[in-house]
């Protein structure tokens, strides 16, 4: 997978952590000594952000000797990344690269666990990640869910038409939306139209308008299971998605309802992956 952070973004990460110089390395007088650093997995994981880590070390003046590509599944104690350079370069790049790989690999691993669990009971179901990422981290977060086997739900507001109940506030409720939908479909013929609903009743009403996707928000599995087959039989062209609290504990229940898409923020929040680092002198 390609590096998703620009050279400027990489430089900013380095400047944030090392605004002037590495005081410890300078004080010990070891900065020019040649060395090597290795990163390895401490548990099974889906690795991500190795390409960004490589850019960090290169920007610090080190040379990358090898790395595994993002989206690679590793067992524990396997080599992820190796670089060589001066002690100064290696110490400056060490924590920045480790943070990138640990946080991104944590997201990728949780995503992969979620996808595998969902598709074990429903092989055709898709898992999609929301925009609910920590501000400023979207590019890396999107890369991480892709590495884990999911896809982004929406990359931004400019990309898709997804109508929420908050939009209805300005339309006079559901009746106002139903009146406006034909005009919306005619104006934006290139785009698919999705609508989020909170009740089965609203879903049936909106289905009659010819929307392309209905997204159930916080609707229970018990409510969904009886109606999904009926929806698919009557409106086979409409994709059905479910969102709201989907995690590793309930993903199989939701997947078993027969919906097409599971919309989740779960992969973004949790422990980073645990990646070890070892530094060696070459003298």
């Amino acid at each position: 997978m390609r590096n998703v952070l620009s050279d400027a973004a990489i430089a900013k990460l380095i400047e944030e952590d090392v605004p002037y110089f590495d005081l410890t390395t300078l004080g010990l007088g070891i900065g020019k000594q040649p060395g090597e650093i290795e990163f390895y997995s401490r548990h099974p994981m889906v690795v991500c952000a190795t390409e960004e880590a490589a850019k960090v070390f290169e920007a610090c003046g080190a040379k990358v000797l090898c790395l595994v590509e993002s989206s690679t599944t590793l067992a524990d104690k396997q080599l992820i990344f190796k670089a060589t350079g001066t002690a100064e370069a290696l110490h400056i790049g060490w924590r920045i690269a480790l943070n990138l790989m640990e946080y991104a690999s944590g997201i990728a691993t949780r995503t992969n666990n979620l996808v595998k669990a969902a598709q074990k009971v429903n092989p055709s179901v898709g898992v999609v990640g929301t925009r609910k990422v920590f501000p400023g981290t979207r590019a890396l977060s999107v890369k991480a869910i892709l590495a884990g086997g999911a896809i982004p739900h929406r990359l931004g507001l400019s990309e898709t038409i997804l109508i929420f109940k908050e939009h209805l506030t300005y339309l006079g409720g559901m009746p106002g939306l139903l009146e406006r939908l034909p005009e919306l479909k005619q104006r934006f013929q290139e785009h698919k139209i999705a609508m989020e609903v909170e009740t089965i009743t609203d879903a049936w009403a909106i289905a009659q308008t010819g929307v392309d996707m209905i997204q159930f928000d916080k609707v229970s599995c018990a409510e969904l299971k009886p109606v999904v087959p009926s929806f698919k039989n009557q409106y086979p062209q409409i994709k059905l998605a479910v969102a709201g609290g989907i995690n590793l504990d309930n993903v199989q229940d939701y997947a078993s309802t027969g919906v097409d898409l599971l919309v989740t923020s779960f992969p973004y929040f949790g422990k980073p992956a645990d990646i070890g680092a070892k530094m060696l002198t070459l003298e």
Side-chain angles (χ1 to χ4, degrees), residues 26-262:
L26 176 70
L28 293 173
I30 60 174
K32 294 184 179 181
Q33 291 186 32
E36 201 170 80
I37 190 168
E38 295 179 352
F39 295 93
Y40 56 91
S41 58
R42 282 182 166 150
H43 58 81
M45 66 180 67
V46 176
V47 174
C48 188
T50 51
E51 296 82 5
E52 288 74 17
K55 294 294 289 184
V56 168
F57 276 105
E58 288 167 355
C60 293
K63 180 181 179 181
V64 176
L65 299 178
C66 65
L67 60 84
V68 297
E69 184 182 6
S70 290
S71 79
T72 301
T73 300
L74 295 181
D76 64 331
K77 299 179 182 178
Q78 288 192 275
L79 181 67
I80 297 173
F81 185 98
K82 182 187 287 190
T84 185
T86 64
E88 180 184 39
L90 298 182
H91 278 89
I92 289 175
W94 175 10
R95 179 55 59 179
I96 302 164
L98 186 64
N99 284 346
L100 286 169
M101 291 190 291
E102 285 193 328
Y103 278 96
S105 298
I107 294 172
T109 303
R110 283 188 293 277
T111 300
N112 191 249
N113 291 338
L114 203 67
V115 170
K116 287 194 293 189
Q119 294 184 347
K120 185 175 181 179
V121 298
N122 183 354
S124 64
V125 74
V127 176
V128 295
T130 71
R131 294 183 293 128
K132 196 181 288 186
V133 301
F134 190 81
T137 68
R138 185 173 301 180
L140 204 59
S141 297
V142 168
K143 177 173 180 173
I145 64 167
L146 288 169
I151 60 171
H153 182 38
R154 305 172 83 190
L155 291 172
L157 294 181
S158 304
E159 183 187 36
T160 60
I161 299 173
L162 176 54
I163 303 166
F164 292 99
K165 67 179 181 181
E166 287 78 8
H167 294 105
L168 304 188
T169 301
Y170 303 94
L171 295 172
M174 185 66 74
L177 173 64
L178 297 178
E179 183 179 332
R180 294 284 294 275
L181 268 175
E183 175 190 344
L184 188 66
K185 288 174 66 67
Q186 175 61 34
R187 184 179 181 190
F188 297 97
Q189 296 185 51
E190 186 182 9
H191 295 273
K192 294 188 180 297
I193 297 174
M195 172 74 192
E196 185 173 90
V197 298
E198 295 179 338
T199 68
I200 302 298
T201 300
D202 283 347
W204 281 114
I206 204 72
Q208 300 174 34
T209 67
V211 295
D212 301 289
M213 187 177 83
I214 293 175
Q215 179 169 301
F216 296 95
D217 181 46
K218 297 180 178 66
V219 177
S220 70
C221 293
E223 292 177 274
L224 284 172
K225 281 185 178 180
V227 300
V228 168
S230 300
F231 262 101
K232 287 187 167 295
N233 182 59
Q234 191 165 343
Y235 300 103
Q237 77 283 5
I238 298 179
K239 294 292 182 182
L240 300 179
V242 61
I246 294 176
N247 55 49
L248 203 52
D249 294 329
N250 60 25
V251 69
Q252 290 191 325
D253 291 334
Y254 276 104
S256 68
T257 65
V259 295
D260 301 293
L261 295 166
L262 304 173

